[in-house]
Amino acid sequence: MSSDVTSRRVHIPIGGMHCAACALAIERALSKLEGVREANVNFAAERAAVIFDPAKTDLGAIVRAVREAGYTPYLERVTIPIVGMHCAACVRNVEKALLNVPGVISASVNLAVENATIEYLPSETSVPALKKAIAAAGYTPVDAAVETEDRDAEQRLRAAEYRHLKRKFLIGLVPAALIMIGSMHHEIPGLKDISQQTVFYLLFALCLPVQFWVGLQFHTGFLAALKRRTADMNTLISIGTMAAFLYSAVVTFFPEWLGESGHGLDVYYDTAAMIIVFVLLGRLLESRAKSRTSDSIRKLMGLRPETARVVRDGVEKEIRIEEVLKGDLLVVRPGERIPVDGIVREGYSAVDESMITGESMPVEKKAGDEVIGATINRTGSFTFEATRVGPETTLSRIIRLVQEAQGSKAPIQRLADRVAGIFVPVVVSIATIAFLVWFFGAGEGFAFSLLVSVAVLIIACPCALGLATPTAIMVGTGRGAEYGVLIKSGESLEIAHKIDAVVFDKTGTLTQGRPEVTDILPANGTPPEAVLALAASLERLSEHPLGEAIVARAAEMGLSLEEVEGFEAIPGRGVRGNVEGRPVRIGNLPFMEEEGIAAGDFAERIRELSAEGKTAVLIAFDGKMVGAIALSDALKESSPRTVRTLQTMGIETIMLSGDARPAAEAMARKAGITRVLAEVPPEEKAEAIASLQREGKVVAMVGDGINDAPALVQADVGIAIGTGTDVAIESADITLMKGDPEGVVAAIRISRQTMRIIRQNLFWAFFYNSIGIPIAAGALYPVWEILLNPIYASIAMALSSVSVVSNSLRLRRFSPS
């Protein structure tokens, strides 16, 4: 009976099921989980009802089991901006509160972006419930999430926070400065004659608004954390400043409580006030620096034009970009930005796509060509049909991808998260022990011991620890986006720096992905131009890619073509037809042999061309061989350069291809690759990657086709060429918007530099606390009489956060090229 009380029942919508066997497979996968007592899957309703013991398993494990079985649980994903987080402990508190909400699968809170990204079951919870949990944890969820289409929303939030902090800082600075002056009244002419008790009363009056209005956020944060039985940086600041303030208040009004007549006692209003003011100054500088970490997103958002010129009912009019619909015809003039994605229907122009793809040269556009929203029309005017609008446009998808990456966590951040979970309680314990040791052990007196414990509390605030990783990820992923390298998550960014083997798909990745004529070999005295013209005359009636390449070369050379009669295509062999009443045959060697045409010396030459990775097409006219044309999928200009660079970086390069070994090896030699995995069918590409991983390699797979998707998923880091298919791009961890393999080098360099910055940040965050806490606790006082004033501790704490963010901002100047 008790086991039933502890059970939970959830209903999980699942996609991808087609029959009862699918349902059975999911049930078996779920039943293997410890703690799952019952699993019933209805494939018609596309739903699983699961009863489980929360003490033995959780929703995350159940969802993972469904995914591992090959099916898709339908989850909702929401990003909620949060106000009031200031340290790693805050992050942990919010995550813990969200994960305790029934139905939440995962919760990732990012201090630098100041938001929470939550995956949840809509049947179990809702956005209002999530916001309620955040509020109950003592933080403020923003009513409306920052949408990618609202380019000013994030900026408004940050600007509002900055103004609030600035106002409080400036208001607190004046009385804090007066308190500092008043604390030294006995050394200032004109103030010496004022009685000490009068000064104490004045200092109390000045400190009261600083402590309880300017510093209110620290005290309310501390009370909220206390209510939740947790602790964060507000705990440290509130306890430290309140201890100094309350001790000073007792000295001011009730000195007899301390067993003194009032003489010889001092007050520390200056400590309480200046700590609050300096911590606010640190947050102010930190807020300003953090706003610069999202410059890349704002630049991307700023690319989209405000209006579009649409043709409706034959009338051209200007409308807001949000009002553009799919199917609308839009007019773009020279110098204007293209408003949305679409297909050119009329006109011709050259478009600058550098801000999206990184391609520096303008791209020619004619009827039938695709155009990308936010790119710049350089020359002619044209009319295009809108195919993707609003959040579906390429720019919006890029922005969403970068935002998700910036809000994600790298595995290295888990160390900081674990430390943050115990950091504040440990610091409070150290401060308490320091007080007891100095007061009872060393007999230094209450005031001395109190200042030591306050200094420990203030200097140890874990702000820098919480900002060390997310700020670097924000700037690193944003910098990548500026170079057309879209990194989908912090995990992908971290793993990329460990890559020691890069596997390239051949077609469309290292090569252009389309055949080109490389050689024209005439025979029997036939001019090369005549050979090409004859072949093109027939091939213009063919739909074969090799034929299209031959026709394209003839057009480039301005050759005139002949009329063809009786055209016929023989799949896998060639084509036949008549020109001027005479038979023409074009095809491979077996086809010529079937037609009774002797290849002669061309047989050996064809074998040589095949060894070079080329395909030979033979041409016969009136029963005689007149020549051959060799075609090849040419390497991209940057492919050999990319391979050389990766090799100098200590990374092994490998080609993976389904082509015959001679052709694959010939192309690999041109690219500078020595290891070739050839004749690998699409369904075995993922296994080829797994085999490399079993060798102990951290493998990146670079591809662009549908058949590359399983290999991209299998690889430690999947890198998709952006000019490839959507399936490949969705399967990849990194997308190169420009169809250029050099982006692989840029991605790895960005990852290496970002990880270098993260390690520096974490080192200084840990080093700062490792050195600062012992000094604040008085470790140097017995020998050198060096004691850290709590005011200086607050300055050091503030500067530590600013230094971490500033170090991350150095990535904005990093060039991966």
Side-chain angles (χ1 to χ4, degrees):
M1 184 71 178
S2 60
S3 62
D4 293 336
V5 173
T6 60
S7 296
R8 274 195 61 198
R9 176 190 290 269
V10 293
H11 294 274
I12 305 175
I14 300 175
M17 295 189 294
H18 304 290
C19 61
C22 299
L24 184 60
I26 297 173
E27 287 178 356
R28 286 174 177 168
L30 291 172
S31 64
K32 292 178 182 178
L33 290 176
E34 183 184 4
V36 172
R37 298 196 171 119
E38 187 177 335
N40 295 310
V41 181
N42 187 323
F43 79 88
E46 296 186 306
R47 183 177 292 269
V50 186
I51 300 175
F52 66 99
D53 182 353
K56 295 181 178 179
T57 191
D58 56 25
L59 273 175
I62 293 170
V63 167
R64 284 193 298 274
V66 173
R67 285 174 174 158
E68 289 169 2
Y71 302 91
T72 306
Y74 290 131
L75 305 176
E76 293 288 343
R77 184 185 181 94
V78 66
T79 298
I80 303 176
I82 300 173
V83 175
M85 297 190 298
H86 301 289
C87 67
C90 300
V91 169
R92 188 174 179 85
N93 290 339
V94 176
E95 285 183 349
K96 186 177 179 181
L98 288 169
L99 290 171
N100 284 334
V101 176
V104 170
I105 306 301
S106 66
S108 177
V109 179
N110 190 302
L111 179 62
V113 191
E114 296 176 293
N115 65 26
T117 301
I118 308 123
E119 273 191 323
Y120 66 95
L121 282 170
S123 58
E124 298 291 311
T125 190
S126 62
V127 173
L130 299 175
K131 290 183 176 179
K132 186 176 179 181
I134 294 170
Y139 305 91
T140 306
V142 176
D143 289 338
V146 177
E147 300 291 342
T148 57
E149 294 305 305
D150 185 356
R151 70 183 66 173
D152 297 321
E154 180 193 3
Q155 198 167 358
R156 287 199 302 270
L157 284 173
R158 290 191 183 277
E161 181 191 21
Y162 182 79
R163 287 194 301 270
H164 174 73
L165 289 171
K166 187 176 181 179
R167 182 172 62 253
K168 283 217 166 188
F169 167 71
L170 292 176
I171 292 174
L173 183 61
V174 175
L178 294 175
I179 290 170
M180 286 292 293
I181 295 171
S183 299
M184 299 181 290
H185 72 282
H186 51 279
E187 299 177 5
I188 301 174
L191 299 180
K192 292 180 179 180
D193 299 332
I194 302 177
S195 70
Q196 178 174 283
Q197 196 61 36
T198 301
V199 170
F200 283 1
Y201 289 146
L202 289 173
L203 294 181
F204 173 82
L206 288 170
C207 191
L208 200 62
V210 177
Q211 182 69 28
F212 292 103
W213 183 77
V214 178
L216 179 63
Q217 60 201 50
F218 304 122
H219 308 311
T220 55
F222 163 58
L223 293 175
L226 190 64
K227 184 178 179 181
R228 301 188 310 272
R229 297 182 181 178
T230 61
D232 54 27
M233 72 165 286
N234 293 312
T235 304
L236 304 180
I237 296 171
S238 181
I239 292 176
T241 58
M242 285 299 292
F245 177 82
L246 292 176
Y247 172 80
S248 301
V250 170
V251 170
T252 302
F253 297 102
F254 309 104
E256 64 275 9
W257 289 5
L258 300 174
E260 301 282 351
S261 62
H263 297 290
L265 292 177
D266 205 353
V267 293
Y268 299 98
Y269 293 117
D270 56 339
T271 298
M274 293 307 294
I275 285 174
I276 288 174
V277 168
F278 278 126
V279 171
L280 282 177
L281 175 61
R283 286 192 180 178
L284 187 67
L285 296 174
E286 176 190 313
S287 175
R288 185 171 183 177
K290 279 162 63 178
S291 69
R292 296 169 62 198
T293 62
S294 57
D295 280 352
S296 298
I297 285 286
R298 284 199 293 275
K299 285 178 185 176
L300 288 171
M301 289 180 172
L303 292 176
R304 195 187 66 166
E306 297 282 351
T307 61
R309 195 174 291 104
V310 66
V311 179
R312 289 178 179 168
D313 301 323
V315 179
E316 184 179 313
K317 60 180 179 179
E318 195 168 282
I319 62 173
R320 289 183 56 79
I321 192 76
E322 293 82 5
E323 298 172 15
V324 176
L325 305 174
K326 285 184 183 179
D328 275 344
L329 288 178
L330 299 124
V331 178
V332 184
R333 293 171 181 160
E336 293 181 341
R337 287 192 184 275
I338 297 170
V340 296
D341 296 359
I343 297 175
V344 177
R345 294 304 182 200
E346 183 181 329
Y348 173 87
S349 184
V351 175
D352 179 358
E353 297 182 342
S354 59
M355 67 285 296
I356 298 292
T357 67
E359 177 61 61
S360 58
M361 296 297 292
V363 181
E364 293 184 357
K365 300 292 181 181
K366 58 184 184 302
D369 289 342
E370 290 189 5
V371 290
I372 303 172
T375 55
I376 301 173
N377 179 32
R378 287 297 184 198
T379 55
S381 297
F382 62 88
T383 301
F384 75 98
E385 179 184 343
T387 56
R388 288 193 291 265
V389 300
E392 298 177 356
T393 63
T394 299
L395 179 63
S396 292
R397 290 163 66 194
I398 290 172
I399 293 171
R400 186 163 57 250
L401 195 65
V402 176
Q403 284 180 325
E404 289 175 358
Q406 291 185 338
S408 67
K409 287 190 177 184
I412 196 172
Q413 192 170 341
R414 294 171 191 155
L415 173 63
D417 290 345
R418 285 197 296 270
V419 171
I422 60 171
F423 189 84
V424 174
V426 168
V427 169
V428 173
S429 300
I430 292 172
T432 303
I433 292 170
F435 175 87
L436 295 175
V437 168
W438 285 111
F439 185 66
F440 293 106
E444 286 290 343
F446 185 85
F448 180 94
S449 305
L450 178 66
L451 288 181
V452 168
S453 63
V454 170
V456 171
L457 291 171
I458 300 305
I459 201 168
C461 285
C463 306
L465 196 61
L467 292 168
T469 301
T471 52
I473 289 175
M474 281 189 71
V475 183
T477 52
R479 191 62 172 156
E482 292 177 19
Y483 278 85
V485 178
L486 303 184
I487 303 167
K488 291 189 176 181
S489 68
E491 184 174 7
S492 304
L493 182 67
E494 177 174 339
I495 296 173
H497 90 284
K498 302 176 184 177
I499 291 170
D500 54 22
V502 175
V503 179
F504 289 98
D505 173 55
K506 181 177 77 69
T507 305
T509 301
L510 289 172
T511 69
Q512 299 286 353
R514 60 182 185 275
E516 294 180 351
V517 174
T518 59
D519 305 272
I520 302 174
L521 310 173
N524 298 321
T526 309
E529 293 81 2
V531 174
L532 182 60
L534 187 62
S537 296
L538 265 72
E539 293 291 2
R540 66 177 170 173
L541 302 175
S542 168
E543 296 180 353
H544 197 281
L546 295 180
E548 292 175 359
I550 291 171
V551 174
R553 174 56 66 86
E556 288 175 12
M557 297 176 64
L559 302 179
S560 58
L561 306 184
E562 303 289 342
E563 291 296 325
V564 177
E565 297 176 352
F567 175 83
E568 182 184 2
I570 298 88
R573 291 284 192 267
V575 297
R576 60 164 66 103
N578 298 316
V579 173
E580 297 178 352
R582 300 183 190 183
V584 179
R585 301 291 182 264
I586 303 175
N588 55 27
L589 186 58
F591 178 59
M592 290 300 175
E593 291 173 350
E594 291 172 5
E595 294 291 314
I597 301 169
D601 295 338
F602 277 99
E604 181 60 30
R605 184 69 179 116
I606 288 169
R607 281 189 285 272
E608 293 174 0
L609 291 170
S610 178
E612 295 174 12
K614 297 178 181 178
T615 301
V617 176
L618 304 175
I619 301 100
F621 179 66
D622 201 15
K624 295 180 180 179
M625 190 70 64
V626 296
I629 297 174
L631 301 98
S632 176
D633 184 3
L635 276 177
K636 292 177 180 176
E637 183 182 345
S638 61
S639 293
R641 184 168 61 248
T642 299
V643 170
R644 285 194 304 271
T645 304
L646 289 172
Q647 290 169 349
T648 58
M649 293 168 66
I651 298 172
E652 182 182 3
T653 53
I654 303 165
M655 178 189 284
L656 179 63
S657 176
D659 289 356
R661 181 163 293 278
E665 288 181 343
M667 189 61 70
R669 281 194 298 273
K670 292 180 181 178
I673 296 174
T674 56
R675 186 172 180 181
V676 179
L677 305 177
E679 301 174 359
V680 181
E683 63 273 13
E684 295 180 13
K685 285 189 174 183
E687 176 54 33
I689 298 297
S691 177
L692 293 171
Q693 291 170 325
R694 286 193 290 272
E695 295 177 18
K697 298 182 184 298
V698 179
V699 181
M701 170 68 193
V702 189
D704 77 325
I706 291 175
N707 59 5
D708 296 324
L712 291 170
V713 173
Q714 176 63 44
D716 297 287
V717 178
I719 303 176
I721 298 290
T723 50
T725 65
D726 285 343
V727 174
I729 293 171
E730 290 298 323
S731 303
D733 303 301
I734 298 174
T735 299
L736 310 180
M737 290 303 296
K738 185 179 177 182
D740 188 340
E742 271 192 311
V744 177
V745 175
I748 294 174
R749 283 178 172 167
I750 289 170
S751 172
R752 288 183 175 183
Q753 183 65 12
T754 302
M755 291 308 300
R756 191 174 294 117
I757 293 292
I758 287 174
R759 290 193 186 99
Q760 291 170 0
N761 287 349
L762 288 174
F763 170 79
W764 285 113
F766 282 115
F767 178 80
Y768 161 82
N769 282 300
S770 300
I771 298 298
I773 291 175
I775 293 175
L780 303 181
Y781 188 78
V783 179
W784 293 288
E785 294 189 351
I786 295 175
L787 197 64
L788 186 64
N789 188 299
I791 295 175
Y792 298 145
S794 67
I795 296 173
M797 186 272 289
L799 291 178
S800 70
S801 300
V802 176
S803 65
V804 162
V805 180
S806 300
N807 191 43
S808 296
L809 286 172
R810 291 196 302 119
L811 278 166
R812 296 173 70 221
R813 300 190 298 273
F814 174 70
S815 175
S817 56

